[in-house]
Amino acid sequence: MTDTQRSGCPINLSLEVIGDKWSLLVIRDMMFGNRRHFRELLLGSEEGIASNILADRLQRLTEEGLISRRPDPTHKQKVIYSLTEPAIQLVPVLAALGSWGRRHLKVSRELAIRAELLERGGPEMWDAFMDELREQHLGIGRPAGSRSVFAELREAYLAEVAAAGVSRGA
């Protein structure tokens, strides 16, 4: 235990890594939005993260081993961020947080649909999603014809956005 840690409690230590206001949201956007570049993460943030905060979180998450970065072969000045195995294993945690939030907080339907599907899909869906993330971020192949949880979640989200647009007169 270092001097900067409050205690060796696993919950405390986890919160010291991902318990700030933005870290889990950056991981969420990489996980559910497949945002892999700084600009995508900055402009795609529902919550409007500031560029200096995003840069700090990306650096911290890299230092903690939750994401990795490598040069983008298509552009000299860009990097590609990837989730690491420890971040991918946060899928059940994010599913549980989303489920709790849906039950106890005032959420929008379009932003809650993925949480609902993950809750209904349970561990089987979470495992399939983690395998898909391993393929996307770590290059670990899956069997041909494997289910795309990412596509299922995206389609459900887009359908809810379309329905909300129609019902709101847009």
Side-chain angles (χ1 to χ4, degrees), residues 43-95:
L43 299 177
S45 169
E46 284 281 332
E47 295 77 19
I49 190 170
S51 62
N52 63 321
I53 300 295
L54 176 58
D56 177 70
R57 291 317 180 273
L58 289 169
Q59 181 179 345
R60 286 181 47 201
L61 291 168
T62 301
E63 289 169 0
E64 293 291 347
L66 292 171
I67 63 173
S68 63
R69 58 178 274 156
R70 64 179 166 81
D72 185 336
T74 66
H75 194 283
K76 289 181 182 179
Q77 295 178 323
K78 286 186 177 183
V79 297
I80 298 173
Y81 293 98
S82 296
L83 299 170
T84 62
E85 183 63 27
I88 290 168
Q89 289 181 20
L90 287 170
V91 166
V93 174
L94 291 175

Short mmCIF file of all heavy atoms in Angstrom, two decimals, residues 43-95:
data_model
loop_
_atom_site.label_atom_id
_atom_site.label_comp_id
_atom_site.label_asym_id
_atom_site.label_seq_id
_atom_site.Cartn_x
_atom_site.Cartn_y
_atom_site.Cartn_z
N LEU A 43 -15.99 14.94 -28.54
CA LEU A 43 -17.21 15.43 -29.17
C LEU A 43 -18.41 14.52 -28.93
O LEU A 43 -19.55 14.97 -29.00
CB LEU A 43 -16.99 15.62 -30.68
CG LEU A 43 -15.92 16.64 -31.06
CD1 LEU A 43 -15.73 16.69 -32.57
CD2 LEU A 43 -16.23 18.01 -30.49
N GLY A 44 -18.16 13.25 -28.63
CA GLY A 44 -19.25 12.31 -28.43
C GLY A 44 -19.75 12.22 -27.00
O GLY A 44 -20.71 11.50 -26.72
N SER A 45 -19.15 12.94 -26.11
CA SER A 45 -19.52 12.88 -24.70
C SER A 45 -20.87 13.55 -24.45
O SER A 45 -21.02 14.75 -24.66
CB SER A 45 -18.45 13.55 -23.84
OG SER A 45 -18.89 13.72 -22.51
N GLU A 46 -21.84 12.78 -24.02
CA GLU A 46 -23.17 13.33 -23.65
C GLU A 46 -23.03 14.38 -22.55
O GLU A 46 -23.80 15.32 -22.49
CB GLU A 46 -24.09 12.21 -23.13
CG GLU A 46 -24.65 11.32 -24.18
CD GLU A 46 -25.83 11.94 -24.89
OE1 GLU A 46 -26.55 12.77 -24.29
OE2 GLU A 46 -26.02 11.61 -26.06
N GLU A 47 -22.05 14.17 -21.69
CA GLU A 47 -21.91 15.02 -20.51
C GLU A 47 -21.04 16.25 -20.76
O GLU A 47 -20.90 17.09 -19.89
CB GLU A 47 -21.33 14.20 -19.35
CG GLU A 47 -22.25 13.09 -18.87
CD GLU A 47 -22.28 11.86 -19.78
OE1 GLU A 47 -21.36 11.66 -20.60
OE2 GLU A 47 -23.24 11.09 -19.66
N GLY A 48 -20.42 16.34 -21.94
CA GLY A 48 -19.63 17.51 -22.29
C GLY A 48 -18.31 17.64 -21.55
O GLY A 48 -18.03 18.67 -20.97
N ILE A 49 -17.51 16.60 -21.59
CA ILE A 49 -16.21 16.63 -20.92
C ILE A 49 -15.30 17.68 -21.57
O ILE A 49 -15.28 17.83 -22.79
CB ILE A 49 -15.55 15.23 -20.93
CG1 ILE A 49 -14.32 15.17 -20.03
CG2 ILE A 49 -15.24 14.78 -22.36
CD1 ILE A 49 -13.78 13.76 -19.80
N ALA A 50 -14.56 18.40 -20.74
CA ALA A 50 -13.61 19.40 -21.24
C ALA A 50 -12.37 18.69 -21.76
O ALA A 50 -12.00 17.61 -21.27
CB ALA A 50 -13.23 20.36 -20.11
N SER A 51 -11.71 19.28 -22.74
CA SER A 51 -10.56 18.63 -23.37
C SER A 51 -9.42 18.38 -22.39
O SER A 51 -8.77 17.33 -22.44
CB SER A 51 -10.06 19.44 -24.57
OG SER A 51 -9.63 20.72 -24.17
N ASN A 52 -9.16 19.30 -21.47
CA ASN A 52 -8.09 19.09 -20.50
C ASN A 52 -8.43 17.96 -19.52
O ASN A 52 -7.55 17.19 -19.13
CB ASN A 52 -7.75 20.38 -19.75
CG ASN A 52 -8.90 20.92 -18.93
OD1 ASN A 52 -10.08 20.87 -19.33
ND2 ASN A 52 -8.58 21.46 -17.76
N ILE A 53 -9.69 17.83 -19.16
CA ILE A 53 -10.11 16.75 -18.27
C ILE A 53 -10.00 15.42 -19.01
O ILE A 53 -9.50 14.43 -18.46
CB ILE A 53 -11.56 16.96 -17.77
CG1 ILE A 53 -11.68 18.27 -16.99
CG2 ILE A 53 -12.04 15.77 -16.96
CD1 ILE A 53 -10.90 18.32 -15.70
N LEU A 54 -10.43 15.38 -20.26
CA LEU A 54 -10.33 14.15 -21.04
C LEU A 54 -8.87 13.73 -21.18
O LEU A 54 -8.55 12.55 -20.98
CB LEU A 54 -10.98 14.34 -22.42
CG LEU A 54 -10.86 13.14 -23.37
CD1 LEU A 54 -11.47 11.88 -22.78
CD2 LEU A 54 -11.50 13.48 -24.71
N ALA A 55 -8.00 14.66 -21.50
CA ALA A 55 -6.57 14.34 -21.64
C ALA A 55 -6.03 13.77 -20.34
O ALA A 55 -5.29 12.77 -20.34
CB ALA A 55 -5.79 15.58 -22.06
N ASP A 56 -6.41 14.37 -19.22
CA ASP A 56 -5.96 13.89 -17.91
C ASP A 56 -6.48 12.48 -17.63
O ASP A 56 -5.73 11.61 -17.17
CB ASP A 56 -6.42 14.85 -16.81
CG ASP A 56 -6.03 14.35 -15.43
OD1 ASP A 56 -4.83 14.36 -15.11
OD2 ASP A 56 -6.95 13.92 -14.68
N ARG A 57 -7.76 12.23 -17.89
CA ARG A 57 -8.33 10.91 -17.63
C ARG A 57 -7.72 9.85 -18.52
O ARG A 57 -7.44 8.74 -18.08
CB ARG A 57 -9.85 10.92 -17.78
CG ARG A 57 -10.59 11.69 -16.71
CD ARG A 57 -10.04 11.44 -15.31
NE ARG A 57 -10.75 12.19 -14.31
CZ ARG A 57 -10.47 13.44 -13.94
NH1 ARG A 57 -9.49 14.10 -14.49
NH2 ARG A 57 -11.18 14.03 -12.99
N LEU A 58 -7.50 10.17 -19.78
CA LEU A 58 -6.88 9.20 -20.68
C LEU A 58 -5.48 8.84 -20.19
O LEU A 58 -5.09 7.67 -20.19
CB LEU A 58 -6.84 9.73 -22.11
CG LEU A 58 -8.20 9.80 -22.81
CD1 LEU A 58 -8.08 10.59 -24.12
CD2 LEU A 58 -8.77 8.42 -23.06
N GLN A 59 -4.74 9.83 -19.75
CA GLN A 59 -3.40 9.58 -19.21
C GLN A 59 -3.48 8.71 -17.95
O GLN A 59 -2.74 7.74 -17.81
CB GLN A 59 -2.68 10.89 -18.92
CG GLN A 59 -1.28 10.68 -18.38
CD GLN A 59 -0.56 11.99 -18.11
OE1 GLN A 59 -0.97 13.06 -18.55
NE2 GLN A 59 0.54 11.90 -17.36
N ARG A 60 -4.37 9.06 -17.03
CA ARG A 60 -4.51 8.30 -15.78
C ARG A 60 -4.96 6.87 -16.04
O ARG A 60 -4.44 5.93 -15.44
CB ARG A 60 -5.49 9.00 -14.83
CG ARG A 60 -4.89 10.23 -14.19
CD ARG A 60 -5.82 10.93 -13.24
NE ARG A 60 -6.46 10.03 -12.32
CZ ARG A 60 -7.58 10.30 -11.67
NH1 ARG A 60 -8.19 11.45 -11.85
NH2 ARG A 60 -8.12 9.44 -10.84
N LEU A 61 -5.95 6.71 -16.93
CA LEU A 61 -6.44 5.36 -17.23
C LEU A 61 -5.37 4.53 -17.92
O LEU A 61 -5.30 3.31 -17.71
CB LEU A 61 -7.71 5.44 -18.09
CG LEU A 61 -8.95 5.99 -17.38
CD1 LEU A 61 -10.06 6.31 -18.37
CD2 LEU A 61 -9.43 5.01 -16.31
N THR A 62 -4.52 5.17 -18.71
CA THR A 62 -3.39 4.48 -19.34
C THR A 62 -2.39 4.06 -18.26
O THR A 62 -1.93 2.91 -18.24
CB THR A 62 -2.73 5.36 -20.41
OG1 THR A 62 -3.71 5.68 -21.40
CG2 THR A 62 -1.56 4.65 -21.07
N GLU A 63 -2.06 4.97 -17.37
CA GLU A 63 -1.11 4.67 -16.28
C GLU A 63 -1.63 3.56 -15.39
O GLU A 63 -0.84 2.75 -14.89
CB GLU A 63 -0.84 5.93 -15.46
CG GLU A 63 -0.01 6.96 -16.20
CD GLU A 63 0.03 8.31 -15.49
OE1 GLU A 63 -0.59 8.47 -14.41
OE2 GLU A 63 0.69 9.23 -16.03
N GLU A 64 -2.93 3.49 -15.18
CA GLU A 64 -3.52 2.46 -14.33
C GLU A 64 -3.71 1.14 -15.06
O GLU A 64 -4.13 0.15 -14.47
CB GLU A 64 -4.87 2.94 -13.77
CG GLU A 64 -4.77 4.09 -12.80
CD GLU A 64 -4.13 3.71 -11.47
OE1 GLU A 64 -3.97 2.51 -11.17
OE2 GLU A 64 -3.78 4.64 -10.72
N GLY A 65 -3.45 1.12 -16.36
CA GLY A 65 -3.56 -0.11 -17.13
C GLY A 65 -4.97 -0.46 -17.59
O GLY A 65 -5.23 -1.60 -17.96
N LEU A 66 -5.88 0.51 -17.60
CA LEU A 66 -7.24 0.25 -18.04
C LEU A 66 -7.43 0.51 -19.53
O LEU A 66 -8.34 -0.05 -20.14
CB LEU A 66 -8.25 1.07 -17.23
CG LEU A 66 -8.36 0.65 -15.77
CD1 LEU A 66 -9.20 1.64 -14.99
CD2 LEU A 66 -8.93 -0.74 -15.66
N ILE A 67 -6.60 1.36 -20.08
CA ILE A 67 -6.61 1.57 -21.52
C ILE A 67 -5.16 1.58 -22.01
O ILE A 67 -4.23 1.79 -21.22
CB ILE A 67 -7.35 2.86 -21.96
CG1 ILE A 67 -6.67 4.10 -21.40
CG2 ILE A 67 -8.80 2.81 -21.58
CD1 ILE A 67 -7.27 5.40 -21.94
N SER A 68 -5.02 1.34 -23.29
CA SER A 68 -3.70 1.44 -23.92
C SER A 68 -3.81 2.41 -25.08
O SER A 68 -4.92 2.74 -25.52
CB SER A 68 -3.22 0.07 -24.40
OG SER A 68 -4.08 -0.42 -25.41
N ARG A 69 -2.68 2.87 -25.53
CA ARG A 69 -2.66 3.78 -26.67
C ARG A 69 -1.55 3.36 -27.61
O ARG A 69 -0.52 2.87 -27.19
CB ARG A 69 -2.52 5.23 -26.23
CG ARG A 69 -1.30 5.51 -25.42
CD ARG A 69 -1.15 6.97 -25.02
NE ARG A 69 -0.47 7.68 -26.09
CZ ARG A 69 -0.56 8.97 -26.31
NH1 ARG A 69 -1.30 9.72 -25.55
NH2 ARG A 69 0.09 9.53 -27.30
N ARG A 70 -1.84 3.55 -28.89
CA ARG A 70 -0.84 3.25 -29.92
C ARG A 70 -1.03 4.24 -31.06
O ARG A 70 -2.12 4.81 -31.23
CB ARG A 70 -0.97 1.81 -30.41
CG ARG A 70 -2.27 1.50 -31.10
CD ARG A 70 -2.33 0.04 -31.59
NE ARG A 70 -3.65 -0.37 -31.94
CZ ARG A 70 -4.25 -0.11 -33.11
NH1 ARG A 70 -3.63 0.54 -34.04
NH2 ARG A 70 -5.48 -0.54 -33.35
N PRO A 71 0.03 4.47 -31.82
CA PRO A 71 -0.10 5.40 -32.95
C PRO A 71 -1.15 4.90 -33.95
O PRO A 71 -1.28 3.71 -34.18
CB PRO A 71 1.30 5.39 -33.59
CG PRO A 71 2.21 4.85 -32.55
CD PRO A 71 1.38 3.94 -31.69
N ASP A 72 -1.88 5.85 -34.51
CA ASP A 72 -2.85 5.53 -35.56
C ASP A 72 -2.09 5.46 -36.88
O ASP A 72 -1.51 6.46 -37.30
CB ASP A 72 -3.93 6.61 -35.61
CG ASP A 72 -5.05 6.30 -36.58
OD1 ASP A 72 -4.83 5.53 -37.54
OD2 ASP A 72 -6.15 6.83 -36.39
N PRO A 73 -2.09 4.30 -37.53
CA PRO A 73 -1.34 4.18 -38.78
C PRO A 73 -1.88 5.06 -39.91
O PRO A 73 -1.18 5.30 -40.89
CB PRO A 73 -1.45 2.69 -39.13
CG PRO A 73 -2.61 2.19 -38.36
CD PRO A 73 -2.76 3.07 -37.16
N THR A 74 -3.10 5.57 -39.76
CA THR A 74 -3.69 6.39 -40.83
C THR A 74 -3.38 7.88 -40.68
O THR A 74 -3.68 8.66 -41.57
CB THR A 74 -5.22 6.21 -40.90
OG1 THR A 74 -5.80 6.74 -39.70
CG2 THR A 74 -5.59 4.75 -41.06
N HIS A 75 -2.82 8.27 -39.51
CA HIS A 75 -2.57 9.69 -39.28
C HIS A 75 -1.43 9.84 -38.27
O HIS A 75 -1.53 9.31 -37.15
CB HIS A 75 -3.85 10.36 -38.74
CG HIS A 75 -3.81 11.84 -38.77
ND1 HIS A 75 -3.12 12.59 -37.86
CD2 HIS A 75 -4.40 12.72 -39.61
CE1 HIS A 75 -3.29 13.87 -38.11
NE2 HIS A 75 -4.06 13.98 -39.18
N LYS A 76 -0.40 10.57 -38.65
CA LYS A 76 0.81 10.69 -37.80
C LYS A 76 0.56 11.30 -36.43
O LYS A 76 1.24 10.99 -35.47
CB LYS A 76 1.88 11.51 -38.52
CG LYS A 76 2.51 10.83 -39.68
CD LYS A 76 3.57 11.72 -40.29
CE LYS A 76 4.18 11.04 -41.51
NZ LYS A 76 5.19 11.90 -42.14
N GLN A 77 -0.42 12.21 -36.34
CA GLN A 77 -0.63 12.91 -35.08
C GLN A 77 -1.73 12.32 -34.21
O GLN A 77 -2.00 12.84 -33.14
CB GLN A 77 -0.93 14.38 -35.37
CG GLN A 77 0.25 15.10 -36.01
CD GLN A 77 -0.07 16.54 -36.34
OE1 GLN A 77 -1.19 16.85 -36.73
NE2 GLN A 77 0.91 17.41 -36.17
N LYS A 78 -2.34 11.25 -34.65
CA LYS A 78 -3.42 10.63 -33.87
C LYS A 78 -2.93 9.37 -33.17
O LYS A 78 -2.01 8.71 -33.63
CB LYS A 78 -4.59 10.25 -34.78
CG LYS A 78 -5.43 11.41 -35.26
CD LYS A 78 -6.63 10.89 -36.03
CE LYS A 78 -7.55 12.00 -36.46
NZ LYS A 78 -8.73 11.45 -37.14
N VAL A 79 -3.62 9.06 -32.08
CA VAL A 79 -3.41 7.78 -31.42
C VAL A 79 -4.75 7.07 -31.33
O VAL A 79 -5.81 7.71 -31.35
CB VAL A 79 -2.78 7.91 -30.01
CG1 VAL A 79 -1.40 8.52 -30.08
CG2 VAL A 79 -3.67 8.69 -29.08
N ILE A 80 -4.69 5.77 -31.21
CA ILE A 80 -5.89 4.95 -31.02
C ILE A 80 -5.86 4.44 -29.59
O ILE A 80 -4.85 3.86 -29.15
CB ILE A 80 -5.92 3.77 -32.01
CG1 ILE A 80 -5.97 4.27 -33.45
CG2 ILE A 80 -7.11 2.86 -31.71
CD1 ILE A 80 -5.82 3.19 -34.49
N TYR A 81 -6.94 4.65 -28.87
CA TYR A 81 -7.06 4.15 -27.50
C TYR A 81 -7.83 2.83 -27.55
O TYR A 81 -8.78 2.68 -28.31
CB TYR A 81 -7.80 5.16 -26.62
CG TYR A 81 -7.01 6.42 -26.42
CD1 TYR A 81 -7.24 7.56 -27.18
CD2 TYR A 81 -6.01 6.47 -25.45
CE1 TYR A 81 -6.51 8.71 -27.00
CE2 TYR A 81 -5.27 7.62 -25.26
CZ TYR A 81 -5.51 8.73 -26.03
OH TYR A 81 -4.77 9.88 -25.85
N SER A 82 -7.40 1.90 -26.72
CA SER A 82 -8.07 0.60 -26.63
C SER A 82 -8.29 0.26 -25.17
O SER A 82 -7.49 0.60 -24.30
CB SER A 82 -7.21 -0.50 -27.26
OG SER A 82 -7.04 -0.26 -28.64
N LEU A 83 -9.38 -0.44 -24.92
CA LEU A 83 -9.63 -0.99 -23.59
C LEU A 83 -8.67 -2.15 -23.37
O LEU A 83 -8.38 -2.90 -24.29
CB LEU A 83 -11.07 -1.48 -23.48
CG LEU A 83 -12.16 -0.43 -23.67
CD1 LEU A 83 -13.52 -1.10 -23.76
CD2 LEU A 83 -12.13 0.59 -22.54
N THR A 84 -8.21 -2.31 -22.15
CA THR A 84 -7.41 -3.47 -21.78
C THR A 84 -8.34 -4.49 -21.11
O THR A 84 -9.51 -4.19 -20.83
CB THR A 84 -6.28 -3.08 -20.82
OG1 THR A 84 -6.85 -2.56 -19.63
CG2 THR A 84 -5.33 -2.06 -21.46
N GLU A 85 -7.82 -5.65 -20.84
CA GLU A 85 -8.63 -6.70 -20.20
C GLU A 85 -9.26 -6.24 -18.89
O GLU A 85 -10.45 -6.49 -18.66
CB GLU A 85 -7.79 -7.97 -20.00
CG GLU A 85 -8.56 -9.12 -19.40
CD GLU A 85 -9.72 -9.63 -20.27
OE1 GLU A 85 -9.68 -9.48 -21.52
OE2 GLU A 85 -10.68 -10.17 -19.70
N PRO A 86 -8.52 -5.55 -17.99
CA PRO A 86 -9.18 -5.09 -16.76
C PRO A 86 -10.38 -4.16 -17.03
O PRO A 86 -11.40 -4.25 -16.33
CB PRO A 86 -8.07 -4.35 -16.00
CG PRO A 86 -6.81 -5.00 -16.48
CD PRO A 86 -7.06 -5.30 -17.94
N ALA A 87 -10.29 -3.30 -18.03
CA ALA A 87 -11.42 -2.42 -18.36
C ALA A 87 -12.57 -3.22 -18.95
O ALA A 87 -13.74 -2.98 -18.64
CB ALA A 87 -10.98 -1.32 -19.32
N ILE A 88 -12.26 -4.18 -19.80
CA ILE A 88 -13.30 -5.03 -20.39
C ILE A 88 -14.06 -5.78 -19.31
O ILE A 88 -15.28 -5.94 -19.38
CB ILE A 88 -12.69 -5.98 -21.45
CG1 ILE A 88 -12.23 -5.16 -22.67
CG2 ILE A 88 -13.67 -7.08 -21.84
CD1 ILE A 88 -11.37 -5.91 -23.65
N GLN A 89 -13.36 -6.18 -18.27
CA GLN A 89 -14.01 -6.89 -17.17
C GLN A 89 -14.90 -5.98 -16.32
O GLN A 89 -15.57 -6.46 -15.40
CB GLN A 89 -12.97 -7.59 -16.31
CG GLN A 89 -12.34 -8.78 -17.03
CD GLN A 89 -11.32 -9.51 -16.18
OE1 GLN A 89 -11.31 -9.40 -14.95
NE2 GLN A 89 -10.47 -10.28 -16.82
N LEU A 90 -14.98 -4.70 -16.65
CA LEU A 90 -15.92 -3.79 -15.98
C LEU A 90 -17.33 -3.88 -16.56
O LEU A 90 -18.25 -3.24 -16.04
CB LEU A 90 -15.42 -2.34 -16.07
CG LEU A 90 -14.24 -1.99 -15.17
CD1 LEU A 90 -13.68 -0.61 -15.54
CD2 LEU A 90 -14.66 -2.02 -13.70
N VAL A 91 -17.53 -4.65 -17.63
CA VAL A 91 -18.87 -4.76 -18.23
C VAL A 91 -19.93 -5.11 -17.17
O VAL A 91 -20.96 -4.44 -17.09
CB VAL A 91 -18.88 -5.76 -19.41
CG1 VAL A 91 -20.30 -6.15 -19.80
CG2 VAL A 91 -18.16 -5.17 -20.61
N PRO A 92 -19.74 -6.14 -16.33
CA PRO A 92 -20.77 -6.42 -15.33
C PRO A 92 -20.98 -5.27 -14.35
O PRO A 92 -22.11 -5.03 -13.90
CB PRO A 92 -20.25 -7.67 -14.60
CG PRO A 92 -19.29 -8.30 -15.56
CD PRO A 92 -18.67 -7.15 -16.31
N VAL A 93 -19.92 -4.54 -14.02
CA VAL A 93 -20.04 -3.39 -13.11
C VAL A 93 -20.88 -2.30 -13.76
O VAL A 93 -21.80 -1.75 -13.14
CB VAL A 93 -18.64 -2.85 -12.74
CG1 VAL A 93 -18.75 -1.56 -11.92
CG2 VAL A 93 -17.84 -3.90 -11.99
N LEU A 94 -20.59 -1.99 -15.03
CA LEU A 94 -21.37 -0.98 -15.73
C LEU A 94 -22.81 -1.43 -15.94
O LEU A 94 -23.74 -0.62 -15.85
CB LEU A 94 -20.70 -0.62 -17.06
CG LEU A 94 -19.37 0.13 -16.92
CD1 LEU A 94 -18.71 0.33 -18.27
CD2 LEU A 94 -19.57 1.45 -16.23
N ALA A 95 -23.00 -2.72 -16.19
CA ALA A 95 -24.36 -3.24 -16.31
C ALA A 95 -25.12 -3.07 -15.00
O ALA A 95 -26.29 -2.65 -14.99
CB ALA A 95 -24.33 -4.71 -16.73
#
